[in-house]
Amino acid sequence: MTIQQRTNKVLLIYTGGTIGMGQNPQTGALEPLDFNALVNNVPEFKLVSTGIDIHQFNPPIDSSDMNPKRWGELVDIISSKYNSYDGFVILHGTDTMSYTASALSFMLENLTKPVILTGSQLPIKQLRTDGKENLITSLELASAHHPDGRAVVPEVCIYFNGHLLRGNRSTKQNADGFNAFDTFNYPHLCDAGVNIVFHEHHILKPDFSRPMVAHTRMDRHVIVFSLFPGIEEESVKYQLANPQLRGIVMRSFGSGNAPQQPWLTRLLRDATERGIVVVNISQCVAGTVEMARYDTGFQLKEAGVVSGYDSTVEAAVTKLMHLLAYYDNPETIRRKMNESIAGEITI
C-alpha cells in the first residue's frame, strides 16, 4: 500500500464574501476587511490540528463578480501549490458559490485532495455568526485523511451548516437562513454534528496513482433560458441569433418537457444543425430529465437536444463552458454532456 506524502498544512484562500466583511461605521454597510487581521478574531484557529497558510485576493471581490477568469486564477493557485498542502479551503460569497464549486470540479481533473468552499450568512466578527463553525469544520475536513495518507474527501465540496455537499450537485436554496445550500439529487458526503460522520460510499474515488490535471480555459459563449407558458417565438429567435453562440442550457418543464409549438422545435433543430449544443435540464430542483417519457420531451430529442439528466443549472453551464473550451466537434461535446465527468449527474 502506497503511503501518500502529507504536509500537515491546509491553504486557506480568501476570495471575498460576507464571512470577511465588517460594518462601515459611517454608512453601516458591509465592506471587505483584511482577512489576515480577522484571523485574530478566531482564537479557535490555534486549536486546529493542521497548519494553516492564507492566500488573499487583493482586493477581495463580491461573489456576484465571480467569473471564468477568476476560476482560472483559483485553479492556478491550487495547481501551483498542490504538492505543498493536504487540502484547500476557499472562502467565497454564497451567491455564486455553487457556480464556482461546479466549475472547479471540471477544471481540476482527477483531483486527489479536498477543495472545500465555505462562507457565511453573517460576518465572522458578529456575535451570532455562522462563519466560525463553517470555517473551522472546513479546515478539519480539508485535512482529514485515511491511515495511508489518502484524503477522505478528494473532491470539490461545499461545507455549510453541518453538511458537506458535492460542489457540482449543490444549489443555494436560502438567501437568509444558515442552511443556505443543499444537494437535492445527491446525498450529503458528510454530516457534522457532535461527531463528524463521513458517508464514504457517496464520495468520489480518484486514481491516486495519477496526477491532478489542471484546466484553466472556459468558453463563455453559452446562454441559459427558461421555458414558460406563453413564451414568444421572437424572444427565443433573438437569443439564438447570436453568431458566436455555441451552447444553450434550456430549463424545461418537469421531466424535460416543452410546449408543442412547431416554431420552437424548428428553432432548436436549426440551432443544433448550426453546431450549437442544446442541453435540456429541469426547472425542478429535484428529479431528472427523461425526454422519452412524454411526447413533448421526445420532440426535443428529435430536434437534437441532449439530456442534462439531473444536473443543476450551475453544473450544466460550467460543464458546457469547460467542454466547449477544449473540444470543437459538437457531437463530441454532446456525448460528453451525457457522461459523468466529476459526479455531476446520475446516469
Side-chain angles (χ1 to χ4, degrees), residues 6 82 86-88 111-117 137-146 149-159 163-167 186 188-191 196-206 208:
R6 296 191 58 78
Y82 197 71
D86 298 327
F88 303 85
L111 182 66
T112 57
K113 297 183 178 185
V115 174
I116 299 176
L117 287 84
T137 305
S138 293
L139 291 167
E140 290 190 11
L141 294 170
S143 61
H145 59 91
H146 295 290
R150 290 180 299 113
V152 177
V153 193
E155 57 175 288
V156 180
C157 307
I158 286 178
Y159 178 77
H163 306 303
L164 184 68
L165 313 172
R166 176 165 296 165
Y186 200 76
H188 298 165
L189 305 183
C190 167
D191 292 299
I196 294 178
V197 180
F198 292 100
H199 310 301
E200 295 200 38
H201 52 296
H202 296 312
I203 297 172
L204 288 177
K205 304 294 189 292
F208 285 92

Side-chain angles (χ1 to χ4, degrees), residues 40-198:
N40 295 326
N41 288 280
V42 189
E44 294 88 346
F45 258 49
K46 300 178 177 61
L47 303 176
V48 177
S49 60
T50 186
I52 304 164
D53 290 338
I54 296 174
H55 181 102
Q56 179 169 314
F57 273 31
N58 188 21
I61 63 169
D62 187 284
S63 71
S64 297
D65 292 321
M66 188 57 69
N67 58 50
K69 181 176 181 291
R70 296 291 193 175
W71 295 335
E73 290 175 19
L74 284 169
V75 169
D76 282 337
I77 293 167
I78 292 168
S79 60
S80 66
K81 299 177 182 295
Y82 197 71
N83 295 324
S84 300
Y85 296 93
D86 298 327
F88 303 85
V89 173
I90 300 173
L91 297 179
H92 194 291
T94 58
D95 286 348
T96 60
M97 189 183 292
S98 290
Y99 284 95
T100 297
S102 297
L104 293 181
S105 75
F106 305 122
M107 299 169 83
L108 298 168
E109 181 185 344
N110 196 53
L111 182 66
T112 57
K113 297 183 178 185
V115 174
I116 299 176
L117 287 84
T118 194
S120 66
Q121 297 286 58
L122 288 174
I124 203 164
K125 291 180 70 174
Q126 289 195 11
L127 182 62
R128 294 183 54 248
T129 183
D130 54 329
K132 286 187 180 181
E133 193 278 325
N134 286 346
L135 175 53
I136 295 298
T137 305
S138 293
L139 291 167
E140 290 190 11
L141 294 170
S143 61
H145 59 91
H146 295 290
D148 64 356
R150 290 180 299 113
V152 177
V153 193
E155 57 175 288
V156 180
C157 307
I158 286 178
Y159 178 77
F160 232 87
N161 195 46
H163 306 303
L164 184 68
L165 313 172
R166 176 165 296 165
N168 58 32
R169 295 282 194 151
S170 67
T171 295
K172 186 176 181 182
Q173 65 168 353
N174 195 316
D176 302 314
F178 289 153
N179 191 28
F181 294 90
D182 208 347
T183 49
F184 296 96
N185 284 319
Y186 200 76
H188 298 165
L189 305 183
C190 167
D191 292 299
V194 174
N195 298 306
I196 294 178
V197 180
F198 292 100

Side-chain angles (χ1 to χ4, degrees), residues 16 22 25 45 51 68 78-79 98 171 204 211 227 229 242 252 254 282 288 315 333 345:
F45 258 49
I78 292 168
S79 60
S98 290
T171 295
L204 288 177
L227 299 177
N242 182 353
S252 61
S282 177
T288 189
I333 298 167
I345 54 175

